[in-house]
Amino acid sequence: MRRTFLLFLVMALPLLADSVYLVHDNDLPFDSDDHYSAGLQIGWMSDTYNGKMSNGFGQAYVEFLSNILELAGASFTSRKRAGTISVQEMIITPKDLTKSEPIYNDVPYMGLLSNSFSLLSWDKDDFDEYRLTIGMVGPDSGAEKLQKTVHTIVGSTDPKGWNNQLGTRVVTQLGYIHGIKQFMGSYKHSQRFEWFNSYYADVGNFYCGAGVGSSIRYGHNMPYNFESVSGLFNSSKGDMIELDQKNSSIGWDIHGGVHLNAIAYLYLYDESKRFGYSYERPYFLPIVNFGVSWYMKNFSLAIDFFPSQPTVANPQSASFARINLSLQFN
């Protein structure tokens, strides 16, 4: 029933006709298929709201989230806003996919299917993102079928150990991201150099943690959006801000950053320990990222690489690559 509802939501998102985005993570470029193996996120973002917006679902959604957050003390005076709704799948697997029995010195199989609802608020110097995520870990996530189908299509190893995946659990998360445009330099031919700093925090029954990051980018004819830290649970959509304000000329950028994630609690580790898994638990995950982006009016495409390695005695790769596609319809 839940997967039927999520399928309906995925099909309905483009009908809202403001903006849609697709984010795909995969560790294949790093010749691995372990730990964070793959992720897929499909989402919708409303038009920009600045107190004046045509009546419709987007306005009602932004105002609804704003009213709730204002009760908690948030202020949106003189700030633009937009809301997002997304569906996300995450797949976790051990390194050796050929074994059908549990591999107790590695991570177990796990799938997570979730919905996220968020509000972004920004001005020219900084942005905030507030997020609620509700999801399901376990066989109902559909991760087994998705991974096996993809591996069949691309000719990869058939994962044999999904019978050992973690059991069903309802997941609820709250997340917050703050990004700052620390420096911006403008040059000839519509070129800019920008430096961003950001931090985030997540609390919930799946993951509790926090992170900080610093990013730079240089490019031509870029939108006035934000590069921000990439958390363990969701990626920020600060990169979609003001995309509709860019002119029709082609733009591009090269970018990179360093991030540090502190992990206070992760359900994957605590639950697998109950079943006898004994791999070393990381408390910090340093991540480097670098990539390129292309822009046209109402369109962006980014390809990023995230080499990372947990701070444990015998680390395994946690690296992955990301394709991020955004499209606005207005």
Side-chain angles (χ1 to χ4, degrees):
M1 182 69 180
R2 173 178 171 80
R3 275 185 282 178
T4 301
F5 168 74
L6 291 176
L7 178 60
F8 170 79
L9 183 57
V10 169
M11 295 174 64
L13 289 177
L15 300 180
L16 298 173
D18 295 322
S19 306
V20 294
Y21 56 89
L22 173 68
V23 182
H24 175 57
D25 296 343
N26 204 297
D27 56 8
L28 183 62
F30 292 91
D31 194 28
S32 66
D33 220 332
D34 58 300
H35 289 224
Y36 181 41
S37 177
L40 181 65
Q41 184 178 21
I42 301 172
W44 160 87
M45 178 182 280
S46 73
D47 285 340
T48 299
Y49 176 82
N50 56 7
K52 298 179 181 180
M53 188 176 181
S54 60
N55 291 327
F57 176 80
Q59 175 175 334
Y61 181 63
V62 170
E63 290 180 342
F64 172 73
L65 294 181
S66 299
N67 290 337
I68 293 175
L69 289 165
E70 285 173 339
L71 291 175
S75 175
F76 304 108
T77 304
S78 302
R79 293 176 72 83
K80 298 178 180 180
R81 283 166 279 169
T84 74
I85 301 174
S86 66
V87 179
Q88 181 176 10
E89 179 84 78
M90 295 176 61
I91 299 173
I92 306 292
T93 63
K95 185 174 183 178
D96 188 349
L97 302 182
T98 64
K99 294 183 178 180
S100 58
E101 65 274 11
I103 305 173
Y104 288 107
N105 62 350
D106 204 341
V107 297
Y109 285 77
M110 189 197 78
L112 169 63
L113 181 64
S114 62
N115 300 122
S116 288
F117 309 88
S118 67
L119 180 73
L120 287 83
S121 165
W122 71 94
D123 59 24
K124 65 182 181 65
D125 297 317
D126 70 286
F127 88 98
D128 299 287
E129 183 172 351
Y130 309 86
R131 183 175 58 242
L132 166 67
T133 300
I134 301 172
M136 179 74 71
V137 170
D140 286 341
S141 70
E144 175 183 2
K145 184 174 182 180
L146 177 61
Q147 187 182 46
K148 287 187 173 183
T149 299
V150 172
H151 279 218
T152 298
I153 293 172
V154 301
S156 295
T157 303
D158 181 36
K160 303 290 187 181
W162 275 105
N163 287 338
N164 309 304
Q165 68 177 297
L166 295 186
T168 300
R169 179 184 179 91
V170 175
V171 170
T172 305
Q173 293 282 141
L174 292 175
Y176 172 72
I177 299 173
H178 182 68
I180 305 166
K181 189 170 291 187
Q182 201 74 43
F183 172 81
M184 183 177 71
S186 298
Y187 309 101
K188 295 180 180 180
H189 310 298
S190 300
Q191 295 185 359
R192 300 199 314 270
F193 173 82
E194 295 174 325
W195 172 30
F196 306 89
N197 289 321
S198 57
Y199 58 84
Y200 80 93
D202 274 279
V203 294
N205 65 345
F206 180 82
Y207 166 64
C208 293
V212 295
S214 189
S215 302
I216 59 173
R217 70 177 179 182
Y218 178 81
H220 164 73
N221 196 27
M222 301 181 293
Y224 288 90
N225 53 11
F226 293 86
E227 292 278 342
S228 63
V229 64
S230 177
L232 293 183
F233 200 70
N234 287 94
S235 58
S236 169
K237 296 317 297 172
D239 60 337
M240 284 186 67
I241 290 172
E242 307 289 8
L243 183 60
D244 59 333
Q245 299 300 312
K246 200 193 80 62
N247 62 46
S248 57
S249 299
I250 295 175
W252 56 268
D253 75 47
I254 54 174
H255 55 264
V258 292
H259 318 286
L260 180 63
N261 296 293
I263 305 169
Y265 169 78
L266 189 59
Y267 171 74
L268 171 68
Y269 294 103
D270 285 48
E271 183 68 5
S272 60
K273 186 177 180 180
R274 287 201 315 118
F275 291 97
Y277 290 82
S278 60
Y279 56 90
E280 189 175 359
R281 180 198 192 284
Y283 290 92
F284 295 96
L285 181 62
I287 300 175
V288 175
N289 84 284
F290 56 90
V292 295
S293 300
W294 295 269
Y295 307 97
M296 294 183 67
K297 186 173 177 61
N298 299 333
F299 171 83
S300 70
L301 172 65
I303 300 176
D304 278 275
F305 298 89
F306 292 84
S308 63
Q309 193 164 276
T311 55
V312 296
N314 298 297
Q316 293 185 337
S317 172
S319 303
F320 63 94
R322 170 173 293 165
I323 298 175
N324 191 339
L325 174 66
S326 303
L327 177 64
Q328 293 186 314
F329 293 99
N330 53 355

